[in-house]
Amino acid sequence: MAIISEYNEQDNKPAVSAKPFNAVLDPANPLGFLEAVFEFLGRESDIFKSDSLVRDINAVVRMVKDKLETEERKRKDQGPGLPGNPEKKLKEDVTVKETKTEGVKEAMEEDKKGPLAPNIGNGLDLDNYSWGQSIQEVNVTIPVPHGTKSKFIVCDIKKNHLTVGLKGQPPIIDGELYQPVKVDDCFWSLEDQKSISVLLTKKDQMDWWKCVVKGEPELNTQKVEPESSRLSDLDPETRSAVEKMMFDQRQKSMGRPTSDDIQKQEVLKKFMAQNPGMDFSRAKIS
């Protein structure tokens, strides 16, 4: 597996003057505190000029949430802690159970919806990452907190498994790949210290992926629309296979026979013409 990373770390950066920030956290209104923080950042920095602001903030929130959940699990595994408020503990447990129940319900609703329509890159935009694909490759983009260094990234690409995340944190992606990949032709890199880019080269370059790792939401491959300009870059054999696959997908979506079905029907018609005395009333195409 090849790795492309950014190690341009400047330890001797010019000193930056600190800006005073005063705010009081009211536990009953944590969002009010966050609002004050963002107002301060808006006045004293260019944070709101970033096109990826929402994605970056989501990544930070997810990272902190995962860290706190990991610490909570460790405390529970270590057994009873210090005496506390039993009533408060009970309320926290109930809240956790309700949250998990809501998550299960949401997942069930997603399953009922069936395969999703692909994004512009013929992939999907998920909560933790987005991905796109060509007939030959899969590109995965995972947002991370701005300023992340490559030495903190964990990326393990195997033939049938992918793990991506940050050291000391639960993996962002960790599962069995939808189909095998050519490990020696796979790469990852850190883009602008705010996102991890993973390129996976498909082993079977005649099929569209429904997802990156099994168990994640799947896209409707019948709605995949490869760019025509890319078809011209393919070798004749691959291009013919892709065009055939696209034709078959359109035919299936309209309830019409595929290219293989049409070919079988032509063979049967030709045989019938050559043998007019035979009874073909019970003939079936298989």
Side-chain angles (χ1 to χ4, degrees), residues 62-275:
R62 183 178 65 252
M63 182 183 69
V64 175
K65 181 175 179 291
D66 291 341
K67 181 179 180 180
L68 294 177
E69 289 178 347
T70 301
E71 293 176 353
E72 179 65 22
R73 285 195 296 269
K74 289 181 179 179
R75 284 197 294 269
K76 290 182 179 179
D77 293 341
Q78 292 173 355
L82 298 174
N85 187 335
E87 183 178 354
K88 181 179 180 181
K89 181 72 168 58
L90 178 60
K91 290 182 178 179
E92 291 176 349
D93 291 342
V94 171
T95 301
V96 171
K97 291 180 179 179
E98 290 178 347
T99 302
K100 290 183 177 180
T101 302
E102 291 175 357
V104 171
K105 289 181 178 179
E106 291 177 357
M108 292 175 64
E109 289 298 326
E110 288 293 331
D111 290 339
K112 291 179 181 178
K113 295 178 182 178
L116 305 174
N119 58 20
I120 192 172
N122 291 321
L124 290 175
D125 297 320
L126 305 178
D127 292 337
N128 297 341
Y129 65 94
S130 61
W131 66 280
Q133 65 177 320
S134 66
I135 195 64
Q136 299 166 319
E137 300 172 341
V138 173
N139 292 278
V140 186
T141 301
I142 307 102
V144 293
H146 193 276
T148 296
K149 305 296 183 182
S150 57
K151 64 182 179 180
F152 297 120
I153 295 173
V154 176
C155 185
D156 186 18
I157 305 174
K158 295 180 180 179
K159 179 180 177 182
N160 294 297
H161 196 277
L162 175 64
T163 302
V164 185
L166 299 176
K167 291 181 179 179
Q169 302 295 331
I172 301 173
I173 301 177
D174 187 17
E176 181 182 358
L177 290 168
Y178 179 72
Q179 287 188 0
V181 297
K182 298 179 181 179
V183 179
D184 292 338
D185 295 330
C186 296
F187 306 88
W188 70 266
S189 62
L190 179 61
E191 305 293 337
D192 299 327
Q193 295 187 333
K194 63 181 180 180
S195 66
I196 305 171
S197 178
V198 181
L199 183 145
L200 304 173
T201 301
K202 300 177 181 179
K203 184 176 182 180
D204 178 6
Q205 300 187 346
M206 297 293 179
D207 198 10
W208 297 108
W209 284 22
K210 294 183 179 180
C211 57
V212 176
V213 294
K214 295 180 180 180
E216 293 284 1
E218 296 186 352
L219 62 79
N220 187 346
T221 55
Q222 294 185 3
K223 295 184 178 180
V224 169
E225 297 181 359
E227 296 180 12
S228 56
S229 58
R230 292 183 180 178
L231 288 177
S232 61
D233 297 334
L234 301 176
D235 59 84
E237 183 180 356
T238 303
R239 178 173 179 175
S240 176
V242 173
E243 291 175 340
K244 176 180 179 297
M245 182 171 57
M246 294 170 60
F247 173 80
D248 289 344
Q249 288 178 349
R250 287 194 297 268
Q251 291 293 97
K252 287 181 179 179
S253 65
M254 294 184 291
R256 297 177 180 177
T258 63
S259 55
D260 290 336
D261 295 334
I262 294 174
Q263 185 178 7
K264 291 176 182 178
Q265 290 175 359
E266 292 297 329
V267 171
L268 180 58
K269 289 179 181 178
K270 184 177 181 180
F271 186 76
M272 291 172 62
Q274 294 174 350
N275 300 273

Side-chain angles (χ1 to χ4, degrees), residues 28-65:
N29 184 26
L31 294 181
F33 180 81
L34 284 177
E35 183 178 352
V37 171
F38 286 122
E39 287 180 354
F40 174 78
L41 291 174
R43 291 193 303 268
E44 304 296 338
S45 72
D46 297 332
I47 187 172
F48 287 103
K49 295 181 180 180
S50 172
D51 295 334
S52 60
L53 173 62
V54 175
R55 185 178 62 187
D56 293 343
I57 291 176
N58 285 338
V60 173
V61 172
R62 183 178 65 252
M63 182 183 69
V64 175
K65 181 175 179 291

